[in-house]
């Protein structure tokens, strides 16, 4: 049993879907589960629909554009314009419109999850129908019926006991199964999402529950690189890394592998491959366990997280920032859903770099000001260098103002003004 995951870039158009067919034809054994993301920028388009809807405006125009985008792909893939796939896709858009018309909730996270999953449901239906048309028999399943979670919308936690029972009982590991990344459902059968880029995590969940031989994530990059090519001019393919190193990179914000993906794989020592869907014959990167899985080649690895916020706190009476103060601060970070990426403290001050992905920074700051002196700055960047050397540090610092810097044995982190 192998698990394949295709991201949104790999199915962004009709040619991409045809390429998925080619990849599967080269890996013809039927015992696969295939996880597929929403097509291209569909998730972004759905987010725009959500914002317009919650602002009180009709997103009808945006929905029509999204429908046209998918219908153009369908028309390029299927000669029969009245193919059954059109009826299925129309049904999903009808469900989307029906939710918008009858929903009473104004809670952003709940509304987000009820709408955002349509991207994956639509993409998997199109791919499944196209594969069937071209001789690759498969079974389409709704991931929400298998991955059961709590009700933490936009960042749901998996109920592993129920999820594993459902997957083992209902999925035939000797056939090709097509399912969605990113989504699950809670005990009330409301859609939940596993966090942005959570499709990789979905692949890890199914692999763990099915005792898969391996997971392959098909990307528009050659594999795991030592830096994001969109941010750094010179990058190198890492042929091999350990689970531990990949988890470190993911924790610090590397975007090729989702932070949660590796944990279930590591527990069962399931190897992960990251390969290019443009060049499926290439080896890509292998992520595995053991002393033989060091970083190859050994070199500095660069990660940048932009649009972060740095917060500096001190007590109002200049007393020590001790455990009681810090404990209270972290309770507030949890309350306002702030991910803390860097911590630095002295006797009378405490500084953190946080990711404000839930847009609750201003509420947090007002709460903190009641008990602390607060200075903060938004729009900063957090650079992390694993296996750093002086040349690597100098290359990042050049032309920037370093607001905070912290070194450990293998890692240096810097918060800069840009």
């Amino acid at each position: 049993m192998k698990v394949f995951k295709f991201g949104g870039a790999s199915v962004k158009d009709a040619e991409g879907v045809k390429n998925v067919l080619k990849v599967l034809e080269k890996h013809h054994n039927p015992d696969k589960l295939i996880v597929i993301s929403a097509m291209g920028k569909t998730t972004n388009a759905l987010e725009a629909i959500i914002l317009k809807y919650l602002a009180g405006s009709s997103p009808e125009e945006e929905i029509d554009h999204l429908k046209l985008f998918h219908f153009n792909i369908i028309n390029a893939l299927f000669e029969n314009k009245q193919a059954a796939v059109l009826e299925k896709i129309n049904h999903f858009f009808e469900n989307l419109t029906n939710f918008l018309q009858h929903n009473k909730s104004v809670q952003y996270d709940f509304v987000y999850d009820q709408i955002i999953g349509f991207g994956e449901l639509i993409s998997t239906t199109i791919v499944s129908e196209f594969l069937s048309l071209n001789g690759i028999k498969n079974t389409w399943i709704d991931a929400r019926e298998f991955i059961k979670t709590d009700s933490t919308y936009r960042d749901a936690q998996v109920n592993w006991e129920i999820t594993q029972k459902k997957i083992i009982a209902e999925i035939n590991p000797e056939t090709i199964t097509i399912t969605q990344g990113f989504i699950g459902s809670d005990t009330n059968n409301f859609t939940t999402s596993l966090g942005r880029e959570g499709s990789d995590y979905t692949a890890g969940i199914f692999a763990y529950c099915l005792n898969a031989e391996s997971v392959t994530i098909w990307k528009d990059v050659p594999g795991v690189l030592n830096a994001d090519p969109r941010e750094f001019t010179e990058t190198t393919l890492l042929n091999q890394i350990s689970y531990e190193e990949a988890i470190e990179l993911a924790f610090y914000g590397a975007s090729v592998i989702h932070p949660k993906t590796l944990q279930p794989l590591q527990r069962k020592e399931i190897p992960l491959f990251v390969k290019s869907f443009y060049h499926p014959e290439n080896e890509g990167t292998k992520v595995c366990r053991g002393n033989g899985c060091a970083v190859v080649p050994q070199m500095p690895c660069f990660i940048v997280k932009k649009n972060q916020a740095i917060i500096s706190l001190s007590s109002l009476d200049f007393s020590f920032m001790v455990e009681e103060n810090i404990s209270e601060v972290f309770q507030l970070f949890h309350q306002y859903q702030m991910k803390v990426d860097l911590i630095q403290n002295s006797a009378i001050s405490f500084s953190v770099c946080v990711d404000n992905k839930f847009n609750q920074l201003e509420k947090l700051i007002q709460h903190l000001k009641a008990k602390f002196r607060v200075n903060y700055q938004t729009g900063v960047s957090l650079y992390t260098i694993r296996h750093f050397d002086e040349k690597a540090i100098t290359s990042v610092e050049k032309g920037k103002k370093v607001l905070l810097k912290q070194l450990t044995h293998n890692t240096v982190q810097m918060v800069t003004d840009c």
Side-chain angles (χ1 to χ4, degrees):
M1 181 67 182
K2 295 180 180 179
V3 175
F4 281 6
K5 183 260 173 176
F6 292 92
S10 62
V11 290
K12 65 181 180 180
D13 52 27
E15 291 306 311
V17 177
K18 291 176 182 177
N19 190 56
V20 170
L21 173 64
K22 293 177 183 177
V23 171
L24 295 178
E25 287 175 339
K26 290 181 179 179
H27 299 80
H28 202 282
N29 52 312
D31 47 347
K32 284 188 183 65
L33 183 134
I34 301 168
V35 177
I36 298 174
S37 300
M39 292 177 155
K41 300 297 183 181
T42 295
T43 299
N44 293 339
L46 287 167
E47 287 176 339
I49 289 170
I50 294 165
L51 288 175
K52 192 167 184 180
Y53 167 72
L54 289 175
S57 301
S58 171
E60 183 178 353
E61 183 179 351
E62 287 78 6
I63 293 173
D64 287 342
H65 286 161
L66 189 59
K67 184 185 292 187
L68 180 62
F69 167 74
H70 286 95
F71 280 10
N72 284 339
I73 293 176
I74 291 170
N75 289 335
L77 292 173
F78 300 88
E79 291 184 6
N80 178 10
K81 306 307 181 189
Q82 302 301 317
V85 65
L86 285 173
E87 182 178 344
K88 293 181 179 180
I89 301 308
N90 268 320
H91 182 66
F92 285 126
F93 278 103
E94 287 170 4
N95 287 344
L96 169 59
T97 301
N98 186 59
F99 172 79
L100 295 175
Q101 290 174 344
H102 295 92
N103 169 60
K104 302 299 182 184
S105 175
V106 294
Q107 182 189 8
Y108 178 82
D109 292 348
F110 172 77
V111 174
Y112 183 98
D113 277 7
Q114 306 323 300
I115 293 175
I116 210 70
F118 281 104
E120 278 72 17
L121 293 166
I122 291 168
S123 67
T124 51
T125 300
I126 293 172
V127 173
S128 173
E129 293 286 331
F130 181 72
L131 295 179
S132 295
L133 182 67
N134 287 273
I136 295 185
K137 294 182 180 180
N138 64 86
T139 302
W140 182 94
I141 64 169
D142 188 333
R144 297 173 298 180
E145 297 179 5
F146 295 86
I147 297 181
K148 307 302 290 186
T149 73
D150 66 6
S151 297
T152 309
Y153 299 110
R154 292 187 68 203
D155 195 20
Q157 303 302 304
V158 174
N159 183 320
W160 283 94
E161 182 179 356
I162 297 176
T163 297
Q164 186 162 16
K165 285 180 179 178
K166 284 182 171 291
I167 289 174
I168 291 175
E170 299 182 44
I171 290 181
N172 182 353
E174 297 179 356
T175 62
I176 292 179
T177 301
I178 308 281
T179 195
Q180 307 77 37
F182 186 50
I183 58 174
S185 67
D186 63 14
T187 54
N188 294 314
N189 289 324
F190 287 117
T191 304
T192 58
S193 66
L194 306 177
R196 194 69 190 267
E197 309 298 337
S199 292
D200 291 356
Y201 186 32
T202 300
I205 294 168
F206 277 102
Y208 177 88
C209 295
L210 292 167
N211 294 314
E213 176 185 319
S214 65
V215 174
T216 302
I217 297 175
W218 298 94
K219 295 271 189 179
D220 57 350
V221 292
V224 178
L225 304 175
N226 76 318
D228 187 338
R230 295 170 295 186
E231 301 290 344
F232 297 87
T233 54
E234 296 182 8
T235 60
T236 301
L237 174 67
L238 302 177
N239 305 114
Q240 181 177 279
I241 57 175
S242 66
Y243 288 124
E244 291 79 3
E245 184 64 32
I247 289 172
E248 290 281 359
L249 292 173
F251 172 79
Y252 289 119
S255 60
V256 173
I257 305 173
H258 189 277
K260 297 177 182 178
T261 301
L262 295 158
Q263 294 162 351
L265 301 182
Q266 185 183 26
R267 289 201 294 269
K268 290 191 176 180
E269 298 188 24
I270 299 170
L272 169 69
F273 297 91
V274 182
K275 296 187 177 186
S276 167
F277 57 73
Y278 293 125
H279 304 285
E281 69 281 359
N282 291 353
E283 291 296 323
T285 301
K286 181 180 181 181
V287 185
C288 54
R289 182 178 181 179
N291 295 331
C293 280
V295 177
V296 179
Q298 184 77 37
M299 61 171 50
C301 297
F302 300 84
I303 303 157
V304 59
K305 297 182 73 174
K306 296 193 172 182
N307 297 316
Q308 306 292 290
I310 185 170
I311 306 172
S312 297
L313 308 173
S314 58
S315 59
L316 293 173
D317 59 358
F318 291 99
S319 59
F320 290 152
M321 289 291 289
V322 294
E323 288 83 356
E324 181 180 351
N325 304 114
I326 295 173
S327 173
E328 183 178 359
V329 170
F330 271 92
Q331 286 177 353
L332 291 175
F333 289 153
H334 176 72
Q335 178 181 334
Y336 290 102
Q337 297 176 286
M338 292 288 170
K339 183 180 185 300
V340 178
D341 292 318
L342 177 62
I343 304 169
Q344 192 172 87
N345 68 291
S346 66
I348 60 172
S349 68
F350 179 78
S351 298
V352 291
C353 183
V354 298
D355 189 343
N356 183 31
K357 75 173 184 176
F358 290 98
N359 298 313
Q360 300 208 67
L361 179 64
E362 292 300 326
K363 293 180 182 178
L364 169 65
I365 294 299
Q366 293 306 312
H367 203 143
L368 289 170
K369 283 182 175 179
K371 295 202 66 172
F372 303 96
R373 298 179 187 274
V374 182
N375 290 304
Y376 71 102
Q377 183 174 340
T378 59
V380 302
S381 297
L382 174 62
Y383 287 87
T384 302
I385 312 174
R386 291 279 294 169
H387 314 294
F388 63 91
D389 54 28
E390 286 303 318
K391 181 181 178 182
I393 294 175
T394 301
S395 70
V396 168
E397 290 181 337
K398 186 177 180 180
K400 304 179 184 71
K401 181 181 178 181
V402 178
L403 305 173
L404 189 151
K405 185 175 181 178
Q406 188 164 274
L407 287 84
T408 60
H409 177 64
N410 279 323
T411 306
V412 60
Q413 289 188 284
M414 294 174 283
V415 179
T416 72
D417 60 346
C418 60

